[in-house]
Each structure stands twice: as structure tokens, then as C-alpha cells.
Amino acid sequence: MPELPFTLDQLRILKAIAEQGSFKKAADLLFVTQPAVSLQIQNLEKQLNITIFDRGGRKALLTEAGQILLEYCQRILNQCDEACKAVEDLNSLKGGTLIIGASQTTGTYLMPRMIGLFRQKYPDVSVQLQVHSTRRTGWSVANGQIDLAIIGGQLPSELENLLQIAPYATDELALVLPSKHRLSKEKELAKEDLYTLNFVTLDSQSTTRKVVDELLRNSGIEIQRLKIEMELNSLEAIKNAVQSGLGAAFLPVVSIERELASGTIHKPLMIDLGVKRELKLITNPSRYTSKASEAFKRDILPQFSSFKTI
Amino acid sequence: MPELPFTLDQLRILKAIAEQGSFKKAADLLFVTQPAVSLQIQNLEKQLNITIFDRGGRKALLTEAGQILLEYCQRILNQCDEACKAVEDLNSLKGGTLIIGASQTTGTYLMPRMIGLFRQKYPDVSVQLQVHSTRRTGWSVANGQIDLAIIGGQLPSELENLLQIAPYATDELALVLPSKHRLSKEKELAKEDLYTLNFVTLDSQSTTRKVVDELLRNSGIEIQRLKIEMELNSLEAIKNAVQSGLGAAFLPVVSIERELASGTIHKPLMIDLGVKRELKLITNPSRYTSKASEAFKRDILPQFSSFKTI
DNA sequence: ATTTTTGATTAACAATTATTTATAATTTAT
DNA sequence: ATAAATTATAAATAATTGTTAATCAAAAAT
């Protein structure tokens, strides 16, 4: 290896001698014997072809070359200390960045609360939330651009082997009605009742809509028999439409928590309807897991998986 | 020794891998085997308790911690390179400072020419000239505040053992006359002629004057018989007085070179007058000799000692 | 002035650490 | 699937570094 003309230990010794004014005291400070100090300085002087200290007098004094070297030495050692601190901060979660991926719905309604909790616990870790399609999110995790993600959809099969996919929570898609809808008075609805309703749905292009349709089909609902009153392009718009009495909708429970609590939207009981999908936590097992990512999985995810929503 | 969490070699390896994107290529670049690189990075990761590279993929990619560390790493290695360069410059006399001591006369008339020559040869070495009494100059050399000095006077005896004192040149104190003085026509003067002259001398307080008197006494001149016309406080003032025809004077030859050449001052031959003193080069043998100081002694002093003046 | 003490160097030895060689495990490319 | 390439691991060797002990030099104290 094309050798460097000095080592950090040598610089540390140099600094100690300069501060203490003596080889002996420097040795004591560094908990080594005094010959070790002498030897290292001799090596340093040999390697750099300079004299660093004028010894002999009662004090070890720096030569001009020594003074010049000391200045660099101090800068270098300071940088080293800073580097250590930065790494320690990273380890103790006093720094660093956590990048989380999510789908539209989780990203809008669930992740903000999780991230809020996380940042409350680790205020020095900055968090980025990237809301993308399941597909793109999956690739981002594979590439390491995202530390972890929660997805609902199906990943491309190539990714299924590459990624660690863990069931995380159950996403319930709830039928909701305007509060003053005639059926809101009923104690429980049956599947057949659905066909009497007018629906407000997501844009038929959207992937989420496709997932919703798929889930409904799997629950034994003939979607072509459902009457679509309106197609909108955001959950918020749909919520507003429902609240205005324009029709019924299937919405993730998390997205309407506030409205259910305040009674502006009604969620009737439907015993025989299990419109659910598994939400999965995906991570990349072949990649380094940051401390922040570990902390998120350990401290934040469990609290929300008990929700069993979205 | 309270250990540092990393070595410069480890940082160098880290940087090489980051640049090359591969452990293997980094190993080739550094002329070591690949396991050496692997092990060093493993040690580094262990010591800092972080993962630095995501390996396994086609490329060794930096983790977040790795990126942070790399930044410090680059700064540190840059400082190291700079330190090396600074030291090399010092060795090759492309930097550094030379501090020279001198007495009033040498400092005024001789050293400026020497220093001019030195700086012509080593333009990047800055030179300081400190003009002080012999006594103070001697102590400065002893302390290492001055690299070398040329003195004419006698050093305090305590210093004579401490310092290296080498005869350097002979200082001739010449009798000079106004060019149109009656005695300027004579081919050669005798001691007795001196008592017919009016002298312009240095202030009787000054140490230099005392040295001059001492030298004259040693040459067998009865100074109390010399007529003192005027006492001035600088050699330049005396020179001007002589040129103006106000009287004769004893002056160091170097201080009147220009005037002798242009004929505005006359220096008569005096066979039996040997008003000389040894100029000595003093250095501190127990102290480190800088490259600049070596170069000055080697390259500059010899040229001027042939002058046999001052 | 001589002794005592303190600090620095030198040399031999012990211990640690790094490097190499050889090999295995993975991964990418053909 | 096989070949080529990259990284990891293990054992042996080489190199470095620190320690102790002995020596030397200088300063302080008697």
C-alpha cells in the first residue's frame, strides 16, 4: 500500500506532547510508556524528514516544521472527532434520515400519524414519506431508495423473492352512507341492499379503484350491478360527496375516522361482507437496515397494527 | 492508548471503494490484496458499529452512515495531503521562515545584501532580520528565537559554552577622509598623522563607539589625543559629515563601499594600522537547524566571507 | 562538586495487527 | 447452467507497535 507518511496515533502523540511540553507527560496522558512516545515521534520525523521537537531543554519545544504540522494535526483530529460524533448520533438516532414508502391511502391517512409519533420519539431523525404506486414503491425498496414501505397491492413477482414481505395489518374497506340516508337507520345491511344504492367511486383508471373492485368481486359482489352515480379522483372528494348525500361509497376506515366519530358519515353493519386486504410491510433483507428503520419497526409499527384498519 | 475508532488507512480504503465502486478495484488501486480491503472495512464497521457498504449487488454502495463518514473521510485525507505538502515545501525551501540576528552595522550594511541574495535563490522562504545588541542577539540564539546571527562584540561568558561560535570574517575599521582633504593626496599615512585630524565619531554612549575605541586602543592609538570635532548618532550621519569635509572618521568598510567607488570619500593607506575585529557566526548547536538556516550558511555566507570586510 | 532524580533514547522481546495465500460462497454474464 | 468475477472466510506469515530493561544526558538537590 502506498504508505501515508503518518498515522493518526502519531498525530495524537504529537498533539499531546505539544500540549504537555514533555514526552513523559504525553505518555502518561495517553496511557503508554514513554519510549513508545519517543519511538513514534522518531518515526514521524523520519518519515517526514523533518525535526519536530527540540528536546534537551527542560521542555520539548516545537520547531517551525513542528508548528506547521501541529496546525494540520489539530484540524485533522478535530475532523476525526466530529466524524465519530456524527456516527454516534446516527447510532443513537440523534441524526439520520428515514425514508418510508406508502400507497396513496396509507400515505394520506395512516403514515402521517405514524411519522408524527416517530418524530415525537426521535425528533432528530428526519423522515421522508414517498407516496407512489405499489409497483414503484416495491422497486424503490429493492434499490434501497426507501427503507421500508407499507403496501396493499400485489408486487411484481420478480420482487417477491427479493423483498421481505410481512403481513402487517388488515385493511377494511367499509361501506359508508350519508348519515341521513334511509338505510342508515337499519341495524344491519345485506349484500342485496348494495344494489339499491348509488355509488360514488374513484376514477376507473386508478389502481386503487381496481384493487377495490377486485376486493368487492372476491367478496361475492357483482360490481357490474352496482350503480355508479359519480367518479371522483380523490378519497377526500368522495368523502365530501357522501357527506353531501350524493351517494354511498367504499372507503378505507382510517380515512373516515373523524367523520364517523362526528356522525357526518354512517357506517352500517354488514355481517356478510369481508372487504379486506392484507397490508404488507416490505423491506429489503439484502440491504443494510438503518437504526432509524429498526426503531420505526420496533417502536411505531406495533402500535398501529393493533388498529387493524386501512 | 485510548484508541481511535479508525485509522487513516481505513479511511483511505473507504474512499477508494467509494470511488471505484468495488472492493476489488480499490484493492488494485492501493496495491493490496482484496481480503485486506475486506478485513479493514469489516474492522471499521465493527469499531464504529455501523454498516458502511451494501455489498452483494454488482456495486458496493454506501449506506447513509457510509456517506456521512465518507464526507469526513475526504476532508481528513485532504488535510493530510496538505500537511504533507506543507512539510515538503519546508524541506525544499518553498516555505518557512529564517530569522537572522545582527548588530547595527552588519544589520545595516551587510545583511541586507546577504538577504537579498538569499531571497533571490529561495524566494519562498521569508526572512526576518533582527538588529540588536550582541548580548541580546546571543540570548535570542540561545532561546531559539533567532536561527543564526553574525556578531562582532564579546558574548557574555555564560553563552560562550552554550553557543557555537565560528569566526566568519574580519571587520576592518577604516580611516576615511574627505576627498579634498589635504592628507588625501598623501600616498600613505602614519599613526602620528591621526593626531592632526578632526574626528567625527559615534555618540560616546553607544556600544559600537566603545568597541571602536577599544579596537583603536589595541592598535596602539592614544584615543585621548584624537580631536573629536563632532559626535553623531548614526553611521550615515557620520558619512555625510565626512563627505561635507567636516572631518575624518573610522568607519566599517562595508558601510562606505559606494562612497569609495564614487570617490566622495577617501580611504588612505595606513600600513601600521590594523583596526580589525573578528566577526563571528553564532548558532545554537542544541537546537534544530532549519533547512532555510542550513541553506543560508551553505549558499550565502561563503560568498560574503571572501569580502573580509565589516 | 557530587549525588540524586527526572526525562529521553536504545535494544531486545512480546503481543498485537495486518497481509497474503488459499478457499468458499455469491452473483452476474454468457 | 456454466463460467467468470466479486466478496467473505480461515490459516499462516509478516510487520508493526508497545513493553521492559538498560543506558545516557541533563537538571535539581544535597
Side-chain angles (χ1 to χ4, degrees):
Chain A
M1 180 141 57
E3 282 179 12
L4 283 170
F6 48 77
T7 69
L8 286 177
D9 277 333
Q10 287 171 338
L11 295 188
R12 235 150 55 96
I13 291 172
L14 160 58
K15 189 180 158 213
I17 299 172
E19 281 168 359
Q20 305 289 320
S22 144
F23 281 41
K24 179 71 166 57
K25 284 180 191 150
D28 293 343
L29 190 75
L30 298 171
F31 302 106
V32 287
T33 55
Q34 178 267 333
V37 169
S38 279
L39 273 276
Q40 285 298 340
I41 293 298
Q42 280 171 23
N43 288 342
L44 187 53
E45 290 182 324
K46 232 176 281 169
Q47 285 162 33
L48 292 177
N49 192 34
I50 56 175
T51 305
I52 296 174
F53 289 103
D54 269 330
R55 41 280 236 196
R58 46 152 81 308
K59 262 192 176 181
L61 285 174
L62 284 166
T63 63
E64 183 192 11
Q67 285 170 17
I68 288 174
L69 191 60
L70 177 64
E71 279 177 40
Y72 284 100
C73 168
Q74 285 167 334
R75 273 202 287 272
I76 291 167
L77 293 177
N78 280 344
Q79 288 292 316
C80 289
D81 287 344
E82 269 193 49
C84 291
K85 244 191 49 167
V87 168
E88 274 167 29
D89 282 354
L90 220 58
N91 276 335
S92 62
L93 291 169
K94 284 183 191 141
T97 306
L98 175 64
I99 302 176
I100 299 176
S103 63
Q104 190 61 51
T105 312
T106 51
T108 308
Y109 300 104
L110 179 64
M111 298 320 293
R113 287 194 286 157
M114 286 187 165
I115 292 170
L117 204 72
F118 181 82
R119 296 211 18 108
Q120 201 172 312
K121 190 150 187 186
Y122 305 107
D124 301 318
V125 179
S126 64
V127 179
Q128 256 184 51
L129 176 64
Q130 295 194 2
V131 176
H132 292 302
S133 69
T134 295
R135 180 187 192 77
R136 179 160 170 197
T137 300
W139 278 110
S140 292
V141 173
N143 298 336
Q145 290 161 358
I146 286 179
D147 291 305
L148 63 97
I150 290 178
I151 57 168
Q154 188 65 18
L155 283 170
S157 59
E158 319 112 81
L159 287 177
E160 285 186 333
N161 314 314
L162 240 71
L163 301 179
Q164 190 177 68
I165 304 168
Y168 163 62
T170 304
D171 180 10
E172 185 189 352
L173 208 59
L175 171 70
V176 296
L177 299 174
S179 329
K180 44 194 186 234
H181 193 277
R182 70 191 155 83
L183 287 181
S184 292
K185 278 139 219 148
E186 300 295 319
K187 200 158 185 186
E188 191 180 330
L189 301 190
K191 269 185 196 161
E192 280 305 310
D193 292 321
L194 295 177
Y195 305 118
T196 70
L197 294 166
N198 291 326
F199 280 92
V200 184
T201 69
L202 273 176
D203 184 352
S204 56
Q205 303 304 314
S206 81
T207 50
T208 308
R209 164 71 179 280
K210 284 173 191 160
V211 173
V212 170
D213 285 357
E214 175 70 16
L215 285 166
L216 292 175
R217 247 192 306 271
N218 292 346
S219 295
I221 293 164
E222 305 161 68
I223 35 179
Q224 68 286 357
R225 283 181 60 199
L226 295 174
K227 269 184 288 184
I228 310 286
E229 180 79 20
M230 225 181 331
E231 292 191 341
L232 299 170
N233 65 359
S234 85
L235 294 179
E236 285 301 311
I238 295 174
K239 269 159 63 175
N240 287 328
V242 173
Q243 284 176 82
S244 308
L246 295 180
F250 286 100
L251 290 173
V253 176
V254 274
S255 72
I256 51 169
E257 277 200 337
R258 242 188 305 272
E259 290 78 7
L260 289 177
S262 65
T264 55
I265 283 187
H266 180 67
K267 173 181 170 239
L269 239 63
M270 290 204 68
I271 264 190
D272 56 351
L273 182 69
V275 192
K276 288 170 179 164
R277 62 170 169 170
E278 283 302 311
L279 284 185
K280 283 151 275 180
L281 168 69
I282 62 173
T283 50
N284 187 337
S286 73
R287 272 212 148 235
Y288 151 76
T289 305
S290 73
K291 297 281 191 262
S293 182
E294 281 173 14
F296 191 89
K297 285 194 275 190
R298 171 171 28 85
D299 300 340
I300 309 299
L301 286 181
Q303 302 190 39
F304 284 82
S305 78
S306 65
F307 266 63
K308 293 287 177 201
T309 52
I310 272 223
Chain B
M1 179 141 58
E3 284 180 11
L4 284 170
F6 48 78
T7 69
L8 285 177
D9 276 335
Q10 287 171 339
L11 296 188
R12 234 152 53 99
I13 292 172
L14 160 57
K15 188 181 159 214
I17 299 173
E19 280 169 358
Q20 304 289 320
S22 145
F23 283 41
K24 179 70 167 59
K25 285 179 190 153
D28 293 342
L29 190 75
L30 299 171
F31 302 105
V32 288
T33 54
Q34 170 271 321
V37 169
S38 279
L39 292 197
Q40 285 298 344
I41 293 298
Q42 281 171 21
N43 288 343
L44 186 54
E45 289 182 324
K46 233 177 276 168
Q47 285 163 37
L48 292 176
N49 191 33
I50 56 174
T51 304
I52 296 174
F53 289 103
D54 269 331
R55 38 284 235 194
R58 44 153 81 313
K59 263 191 175 179
L61 285 173
L62 284 165
T63 63
E64 183 191 11
Q67 285 171 18
I68 289 174
L69 191 60
L70 177 64
E71 280 178 42
Y72 284 100
C73 168
Q74 284 167 334
R75 274 202 286 271
I76 290 167
L77 293 177
N78 279 344
Q79 289 292 316
C80 291
D81 286 344
E82 269 193 50
C84 292
K85 243 189 47 152
V87 168
E88 275 167 29
D89 281 354
L90 220 57
N91 276 334
S92 62
L93 291 169
K94 287 187 188 134
T97 307
L98 175 65
I99 303 176
I100 299 175
S103 63
Q104 189 63 49
T105 312
T106 51
T108 308
Y109 300 103
L110 179 64
M111 298 320 293
R113 288 194 285 156
M114 284 188 166
I115 292 171
L117 204 70
F118 182 80
R119 295 209 22 104
Q120 200 172 313
K121 190 150 186 183
Y122 304 109
D124 301 320
V125 178
S126 63
V127 179
Q128 258 184 51
L129 175 64
Q130 295 194 4
V131 175
H132 293 302
S133 68
T134 294
R135 183 190 188 74
R136 179 161 170 196
T137 299
W139 278 110
S140 291
V141 172
N143 297 337
Q145 289 160 0
I146 285 179
D147 291 306
L148 63 97
I150 290 179
I151 56 166
Q154 190 64 22
L155 283 170
S157 58
E158 319 113 84
L159 287 178
E160 284 184 336
N161 314 315
L162 240 69
L163 301 180
Q164 190 177 67
I165 303 168
Y168 163 59
T170 304
D171 179 10
E172 184 190 353
L173 211 57
L175 169 71
V176 296
L177 299 174
S179 330
K180 40 192 190 244
H181 193 278
R182 68 184 157 84
L183 288 182
S184 292
K185 278 142 218 144
E186 301 295 321
K187 202 159 183 188
E188 192 177 332
L189 301 189
K191 271 184 196 160
E192 280 306 312
D193 292 322
L194 295 177
Y195 306 115
T196 72
L197 294 167
N198 289 327
F199 280 91
V200 184
T201 70
L202 273 176
D203 184 351
S204 56
Q205 302 305 316
S206 81
T207 50
T208 307
R209 164 69 180 278
K210 285 173 190 157
V211 173
V212 170
D213 286 357
E214 175 70 13
L215 285 166
L216 292 175
R217 247 193 304 273
N218 292 345
S219 294
I221 293 166
E222 305 162 64
I223 35 180
Q224 69 285 356
R225 283 183 57 202
L226 295 174
K227 270 186 286 186
I228 310 284
E229 179 78 20
M230 227 184 324
E231 291 192 343
L232 299 171
N233 66 0
S234 84
L235 294 179
E236 285 302 312
I238 294 173
K239 268 159 63 176
N240 287 328
V242 173
Q243 285 176 80
S244 308
L246 296 178
F250 286 100
L251 288 174
V253 176
V254 274
S255 73
I256 50 168
E257 277 201 339
R258 242 189 304 273
E259 289 78 7
L260 289 178
S262 65
T264 56
I265 283 186
H266 181 67
K267 173 181 168 241
L269 240 63
M270 291 202 67
I271 264 194
D272 54 350
L273 183 69
V275 191
K276 288 173 179 161
R277 62 170 169 170
E278 284 300 313
L279 285 184
K280 283 152 273 180
L281 168 68
I282 61 172
T283 50
N284 187 336
S286 72
R287 272 212 148 234
Y288 151 74
T289 305
S290 73
K291 298 279 188 256
S293 182
E294 280 172 14
F296 191 87
K297 285 194 274 189
R298 171 171 28 86
D299 301 340
I300 310 299
L301 286 182
Q303 302 191 41
F304 284 83
S305 76
S306 65
F307 265 63
K308 289 289 174 202
T309 53
I310 272 216

